[in-house]
Amino acid sequence: MLMLLPGPVQTRPEVRAVMSDDIAPWDAEFRAEYAAMRPRIVAIAGGVEGEHVSLPLPGCGHMVVEAAIRTFVPAGGKVLVVQNGGYADRLARLASEAGRVVVPLHGPDNVPMAPEKLAAALAANPDVSHVAIVVSETGTGIVNDPAILGPVILAAGKRLICDAVSGFAALPFRMTDHPECDVVVFTSNKCLEGLPGFGFAVAPIARLEACKGNAGSWVMDLADVYAHALRDGWGSFRFTPAVQALRAFRVAMDLYEAEGGQPGRFARYRRNADVWYEGLQALGFRPYVAREHQGPIVVVVHQPEHPAWDFHDFLARMKARGVIISLHFTTKVPTMRLGCIGAINETDVRFALAQMQAVLAEMGIAPRAAAA
């Protein structure tokens, strides 16, 4: 089955193969294996070992995002959330329900946030301590680039919480280029192409030490993850983790480095996105995001306005042909998300497009009529 989602993503057989063994998390050999991963994670984030630290947290991306907010924003503190998409809306909810005061900065979900609009919002809200951004908005495919927004945050004297969950390791980002950044968060899946099961944060050690006691949660406290490692060793865990997923992540990092790291992965995903974008238009689908704003992680198109169109029927027919496409969308109008990431290439995308063409014909929808 070909899985063309923006997460969880298609993975390589080598990654899945190492999931077959039972593993004792506190076994000395596995502790060493885990400890050796942590500096590699820092390196992928563009950090410096000894100045930055990797902070694995069992769970999904939303969990590590909440942990980042709790750890670095004091209870009752204000965080400005760049809110131009469904996943940014989720981030705002995580912050609000964690007892932080959200200052929303709304924008269209098909256009990246303009730096001048962020600057004006920060000037109007001087008591904000942090800005939280979703770098790759998984609901639409736009990119809020830290290279553009980060200098605005730095100039205002604020701190950045960088939700890079769906774009990390493909989109360029280096902690050393962002002195304003308190933390960047991502997962073992998505662009690193491991199995789901772990969230990761990379943060400056000095900032972690300054934020002890903020979290209000033992499980969600990244400062405690760091303190535990100092006390019990870098291969130790506070709670029983998804160890098989962690071992698979080690193999995924090997494959990532073999592909050429971030530039190599970005190039493959960019090509996938371009093939999707052009091929979908050829089938009559109307893009939700203009070409100049289209990121390489997910391509989103409007669902056809055609009397024969039935989204669930379309998905079932595609699955019968060996292709799984995302059921969910976060836009106000009906859209469809096509993943560009994971262990896929343009040949896979072209195969999926051919199946789409056949399914549209089965449904009685002519290619150009899909955009009627």
Side-chain angles (χ1 to χ4, degrees):
M1 190 67 68
L2 180 61
M3 196 158 66
L4 299 176
L5 310 177
V9 300
Q10 189 92 5
T11 57
R12 292 266 294 265
E14 304 97 307
V15 173
R16 298 191 298 274
V18 298
M19 297 276 287
S20 61
D21 292 335
D22 291 321
I23 304 169
W26 296 276
D27 176 75
E29 290 183 10
F30 187 76
R31 282 169 61 103
E33 183 179 345
Y34 167 45
M37 294 183 207
R38 296 180 80 151
R40 296 177 69 186
I41 296 166
V42 170
I44 293 172
V48 176
E49 188 67 16
E51 295 180 20
H52 301 91
V53 64
S54 63
L55 304 159
L57 192 72
C60 64
H62 285 83
M63 292 177 67
V64 75
V65 170
E66 180 175 338
I69 294 166
R70 285 180 171 275
T71 300
F72 292 99
V73 182
K78 289 190 174 182
V79 54
L80 187 148
V81 177
V82 172
Q83 215 163 327
N84 58 347
Y87 285 76
D89 293 343
R90 293 182 180 195
L91 190 155
R93 179 176 175 179
L94 290 172
S96 178
E97 295 198 7
R100 277 62 179 170
V101 178
V102 172
V103 177
L105 176 59
H106 292 290
D109 65 358
N110 60 353
V111 179
M113 181 57 64
E116 56 272 17
K117 187 173 179 179
L118 174 59
L122 288 173
N125 294 277
D127 54 345
V128 161
S129 65
H130 286 74
V131 176
I133 67 171
V134 176
V135 177
S136 174
E137 174 50 62
T138 322
T140 61
I142 60 171
V143 175
N144 295 304
D145 191 348
I148 295 173
L149 301 182
V152 176
I153 297 166
L154 181 64
K158 309 303 180 183
R159 307 297 303 170
L160 169 63
I161 293 174
C162 190
D163 174 350
V165 167
S166 74
F168 181 82
L171 297 172
F173 181 86
R174 296 190 61 79
M175 284 292 290
T176 52
D177 294 339
H178 291 279
E180 76 283 0
C181 187
D182 265 0
V183 62
V184 58
V185 298
F186 49 99
T187 74
S188 52
N189 191 236
K190 304 284 189 179
C191 300
L192 284 164
E193 299 181 7
L195 275 296
F198 261 94
F200 295 95
V202 174
I205 292 171
R207 290 296 300 152
L208 269 175
E209 292 177 336
C211 293
K212 293 177 182 176
N214 279 349
S217 165
W218 185 17
V219 172
M220 297 286 190
D221 189 353
L222 296 177
D224 189 67
V225 175
Y226 174 61
H228 176 88
L230 289 179
R231 184 178 64 249
D232 292 354
W234 294 102
S236 63
F237 301 93
R238 298 183 305 160
F239 314 111
T240 302
V243 283
Q244 284 83 2
L246 196 58
R247 174 165 285 173
F249 185 65
R250 173 182 58 76
V251 177
M253 284 194 291
D254 293 342
L255 295 170
Y256 175 77
E257 291 165 3
E259 190 173 3
Q262 180 270 320
R265 197 138 291 183
F266 175 87
R268 175 160 58 86
Y269 292 169
R270 180 74 269 172
R271 181 59 181 158
N272 291 344
D274 290 343
V275 173
W276 267 132
Y277 202 90
E278 294 161 9
L280 288 163
Q281 287 186 93
L283 292 178
F285 289 97
R286 184 161 51 96
Y288 189 79
V289 174
R291 190 64 177 264
E292 64 267 26
H293 300 314
Q294 177 61 64
I297 307 304
V298 60
V299 171
V300 176
V301 293
H302 292 267
Q303 292 185 32
E305 296 177 2
H306 189 282
W309 175 257
D310 182 302
F311 187 34
H312 293 278
D313 181 40
F314 176 80
L315 294 175
R317 290 172 183 264
M318 287 296 291
K319 184 176 180 181
R321 290 174 170 269
V323 181
I324 294 181
I325 294 170
S326 180
L327 167 66
H328 305 288
F329 58 88
T330 63
T331 52
K332 292 180 180 178
V333 297
T335 55
M336 182 166 59
R337 301 190 300 168
L338 294 312
C340 311
I341 61 176
I344 62 170
N345 56 35
E346 66 174 283
T347 300
D348 298 308
V349 176
R350 293 188 191 281
F351 171 79
L353 286 165
Q355 305 317 304
M356 284 186 171
Q357 184 175 18
V359 167
L360 289 173
E362 290 173 0
M363 296 175 72
I365 304 174
R368 297 312 306 173

